[in-house]
Amino acid sequence: MRKVADWQLTEAASKFNQQWTYAALYDGLLATSHETGDPKYSDAVARISEGFDWKLLNDRFPHADDQALGQAYLDLYRLKPEPRRMASTREVMDRLKAKSVDPAKPVWWWCDALFMAPPVLARMYAITGDRSYLDALDRNWASTTKLLYSEQESLFFRDARYLTQKEKNGKPLFWARGNGWVVAGMVNVLEFMPANYPTRDRYLTQFNQMATRIAQLQTADGLWKTGLLDPDAYSESEVSGSAFYTYAMAWGINQGILDAKVFRPVVARSWAGMVSHIYANGRLGAIQPIGAAPDSFRASSSYVYGVGGFLLAGSEVARMNKVHGKLRKR
């Protein structure tokens, strides 16, 4: 984690921005400081956030991608509760929760959005105690699920354009990173959703269904291909989707939600597979570029959101090691 985080901080120093791509990296850097005890990563995110004046992008409300940075702002607010750290995020989330749900046109119409906005609403609830943030999250998550979740495959289509598209082998097209965004977003919601919230069990059921299905689709090298149901159609295994899966499964084990005997070997293989894609200088490769569907990429391909996912995964794997002992690939 340190090696990858250090390389990425240096590499991205002149490129930091408020986009969703970097928001995922900031989440990973905060997790790295939390788990290692080294504040330099969270201090870096705090400096970056200060440079943004703790504001979200707000030119195309209610687009969830522009709200993703709110997770880092609110996590930093929880460390040091200065009102300006959450002011912009709260204003945007208040507007979001006031927006009515149109079943014919979900606000979160693409599955990636479930990583971007719901965790911010969940943190607003945790900070304020106001359940209306969770209620807004719940209404909109249900709307997206109704549109995009396949009960048969226990996976999310990326968006409505893919509901009828097929892989070369004739199976439905499910994008690896798209489903990674979903399970990682679900973890970031369940972390703050209270046990007595009326629909929490629905999220736990969906989380178990997805984790079980994803584990079944793991390839021999421990990772997942960009197209989940036709792995033979894609030559390279992919790290960003794999990272978010690893993060979610390790978290589920740590919370006692997933059976450690079943899922620890899956996590062990995945972690070893991802580590094999770290270059000597700390660059993390095999990350698919920005997209919306399975695609090819170079083995050297590296993008900040994949690094963020890797760091999130590492933080949960490290916690798991403390309880269960060091992971061994099986």
Side-chain angles (χ1 to χ4, degrees):
M1 289 172 67
R2 290 178 183 274
K3 184 175 184 177
V4 170
D6 288 345
W7 179 86
Q8 192 65 75
L9 274 177
T10 301
E11 173 68 18
S14 63
K15 307 169 188 174
F16 292 126
N17 60 54
Q18 294 157 281
Q19 300 287 343
W20 62 268
T21 50
Y22 276 80
L25 172 63
Y26 305 147
D27 297 340
L29 290 171
L30 290 174
T32 302
S33 274
H34 184 269
E35 192 52 41
T36 64
D38 186 342
K40 76 174 180 178
Y41 307 106
S42 59
D43 288 349
V45 179
R47 288 193 301 272
I48 294 162
S49 301
E50 192 70 34
F52 300 148
D53 197 25
W54 302 94
K55 286 183 166 45
L56 299 179
L57 297 172
N58 200 18
D59 296 333
R60 50 176 185 169
F61 178 85
H63 203 289
D65 285 354
D66 296 345
Q67 298 159 14
L69 182 52
Q71 177 172 326
Y73 287 165
L74 295 182
D75 283 344
L76 287 165
Y77 173 88
R78 292 168 64 233
L79 293 174
K80 188 177 181 181
E82 296 175 344
R84 62 189 298 266
R85 292 187 169 201
M86 69 175 289
S88 172
T89 302
R90 184 169 197 166
E91 187 274 331
V92 173
M93 292 299 104
D94 284 350
R95 289 166 60 199
L96 181 60
K97 73 175 183 174
K99 187 174 177 59
S100 60
V101 175
D102 180 356
K105 191 177 180 182
V107 171
W108 302 331
W109 53 266
W110 71 112
C111 72
D112 319 23
L114 298 182
F115 179 89
M116 309 303 170
V120 184
L121 287 165
R123 282 163 172 76
M124 283 301 306
Y125 158 74
I127 290 168
T128 66
D130 183 349
R131 285 206 176 193
S132 66
Y133 292 108
L134 283 184
D135 294 342
L137 185 167
D138 191 50
R139 291 193 301 271
N140 285 288
W141 190 291
S143 181
T144 303
T145 293
K146 184 176 180 179
L147 175 65
L148 300 178
Y149 187 58
S150 168
E151 295 286 351
Q152 180 178 358
E153 293 292 349
S154 298
L155 297 168
F156 273 79
F157 293 98
R158 197 275 176 173
D159 60 60
R161 294 173 298 173
Y162 297 94
L163 293 173
T164 58
Q165 291 194 32
K166 305 293 184 181
E167 293 278 14
K168 291 180 181 179
N169 63 4
K171 294 183 178 180
L173 191 153
F174 292 102
W175 181 37
R177 187 165 68 238
N179 281 277
W181 288 125
V182 174
V183 291
M186 200 177 301
V187 162
N188 285 331
V189 167
L190 286 168
E191 183 75 29
F192 296 97
M193 181 179 280
N196 64 352
Y197 191 73
T199 59
R200 180 180 169 85
D201 284 349
R202 189 174 67 201
Y203 292 82
L204 290 172
T205 297
Q206 192 173 64
F207 178 70
N208 273 280
Q209 289 173 347
M210 292 189 70
T212 298
R213 183 63 174 128
I214 289 164
Q216 293 169 351
L217 299 171
Q218 188 177 35
T219 61
D221 65 358
L223 303 181
W224 287 261
K225 300 295 181 70
T226 57
L228 289 174
L229 299 191
D230 192 5
D232 293 339
Y234 306 94
S235 59
E236 299 288 339
S237 294
E238 202 275 327
V239 162
S240 67
S242 300
F244 288 122
Y245 297 159
T246 308
Y247 167 54
M249 290 181 192
W251 180 88
I253 293 166
N254 292 339
Q255 297 295 317
I257 295 170
L258 298 178
D259 186 343
K261 291 182 180 179
V262 173
F263 285 93
R264 265 180 60 79
V266 178
V267 170
R269 290 190 293 269
S270 179
W271 182 253
M274 290 192 293
V275 168
S276 74
H277 288 282
I278 301 173
Y279 288 79
N281 63 358
R283 178 187 179 93
L284 179 64
I287 298 171
Q288 183 189 354
I290 293 172
D295 204 351
S296 59
F297 54 91
R298 294 182 178 179
S300 61
S301 177
S302 185
Y303 291 87
V304 291
Y305 44 81
V307 172
F310 174 82
L311 296 176
L312 288 169
S315 70
E316 289 296 331
V317 169
R319 291 175 200 172
M320 190 169 61
N321 287 346
K322 293 174 185 177
V323 176
H324 298 278
K326 188 175 180 180
L327 277 176
R328 290 179 175 82
K329 184 178 177 182
R330 300 178 185 179

